[in-house]
Each structure stands twice: as structure tokens, then as C-alpha cells.
Amino acid sequence: MKILVSYFSAGGATRKVASKLASLLKADLEEIIPESRYTSADLDWRNDHSRSSLEMNDEKSRPEIKTLIFELSAYDVIFVGYPIWWYVEPRVIDTYLDSFHLEGKRIIPFATSGGSSIDGSVAHLRKLYPTAKIEDGLLLNHGVDEKAIRKAIGEKIE
């Protein structure tokens, strides 16, 4: 089974989890990089005019991303990781997924969050990409230990 772990990380927490996940799975790893990286001012969720607030308030927003290395068609399973923003995935994840033909693709979302569950983002992804096989997501915060990650992975990869 060929596995890809792709992720977007604004502050580094999701990057750490994605790296550990890819290592445990012996999977390819790809960072989803916005064409214009987010600054701390961009990420100020208390400011209605910050970049992230404007993007998240516009369902059609699709921030540009840098060129990707891997083509999803080559993979059996794609883990897609991100921080939870406004109870869903950041719009940059939608840009990434819009870039591929997802019909029948097995996608396992994983996220990091300061307090929100992953359920809202999974429901949102299923709505946006109804032809993909979007599985229940994994909330894997940066403090998750290897044993817990292996348990979560085993439940999803069998």
C-alpha cells in the first residue's frame, strides 16, 4: 500500500505530527506551502480583517499554493493534515484538494487543535469532495505519543 502524508502547518505543531506520522507509516511526506506564507498578523483570528479571517469567511477562497511534488493518483491512502481554523480545515487545504481528481481516493484527515474537534472539518470535507472516500479524522495534537499514534494508525490502515 502506497501512502502519502501531506500537511499544512502555520505554526509548526502540525508539521511535527505529520513528520512523525510519515516516519511511522514509512510514507512519503509533502508540505502544502502557501504561495504567500502566513505571518502572525495574518493568523490573528481576533482581527476580522486579518488574512486568515477573510479567507475563512469566504467559502470560495482558495489561497494559492506552491508547486507540489507528489501526484495523488500514485497513492492508495492520503493522510491530509492541518490545524483546525474556525472549526474546519484552512482554505489552503481546499486549494490542495481541488488540485486533484479525488473520485474513489481514500483520504484520512488529521488535525491539531487548541480545543476544537476534527468532526466539523471532516463533515466539511465530505461536503466539498463527495466522490472521495473521506474517512473519520484523527485529532493528533503535538503532544500525542508514538503508542497513541500507532494505535490510531492501526485503526485506519487495516
Side-chain angles (χ1 to χ4, degrees), residues 50-64:
S50 73
R51 178 178 165 197
S52 60
S53 295
L54 294 171
E55 288 175 2
M56 295 309 292
N57 284 319
D58 180 3
E59 181 73 29
K60 295 185 188 313
S61 177
R62 296 296 186 268
E64 291 187 34

Side-chain angles (χ1 to χ4, degrees), residues 20-137:
K20 193 169 195 178
L21 188 60
S23 177
L24 290 169
L25 291 168
K26 297 182 180 22
D28 290 331
L29 178 66
E30 179 158 57
E31 181 176 8
I32 301 163
I33 303 171
E35 192 63 45
S36 175
R37 291 205 184 246
Y38 292 88
T39 66
S40 57
D42 291 336
L43 298 171
D44 185 358
W45 57 270
R46 295 172 302 250
N47 178 349
D48 291 341
H49 300 289
S50 73
R51 178 178 165 197
S52 60
S53 295
L54 294 171
E55 288 175 2
M56 295 309 292
N57 284 319
D58 180 3
E59 181 73 29
K60 295 185 188 313
S61 177
R62 296 296 186 268
E64 291 187 34
I65 59 176
K66 294 194 181 225
T67 303
L68 300 165
I69 298 168
F70 300 107
E71 168 59 49
L72 295 190
S73 63
Y75 295 89
D76 302 301
V77 178
I78 301 103
F79 282 82
V80 179
Y82 46 86
I84 300 290
W85 288 4
W86 286 260
Y87 306 103
V88 295
E89 75 286 354
R91 300 290 184 233
V92 72
I93 294 297
D94 302 332
T95 302
Y96 172 72
L97 293 173
D98 284 354
S99 302
F100 301 101
H101 178 71
L102 299 176
E103 187 171 349
K105 274 292 167 200
R106 185 175 175 206
I107 298 174
I108 303 173
F110 69 95
T112 56
S113 173
S116 300
S117 98
I118 194 171
D119 297 341
S121 69
V122 171
H124 188 251
L125 289 169
R126 286 176 176 154
K127 180 180 130 194
L128 288 178
Y129 308 102
T131 63
K133 296 177 190 171
I134 309 280
E135 297 193 10
D136 292 340

Side-chain angles (χ1 to χ4, degrees), residues 12-18 20 111-114 139-145 149:
T14 307
R15 176 180 295 111
K16 289 176 188 172
V17 171
K20 193 169 195 178
T112 56
S113 173
L139 191 60
L140 298 174
N141 288 316
H142 65 278
V144 175
D145 64 29
I149 291 175

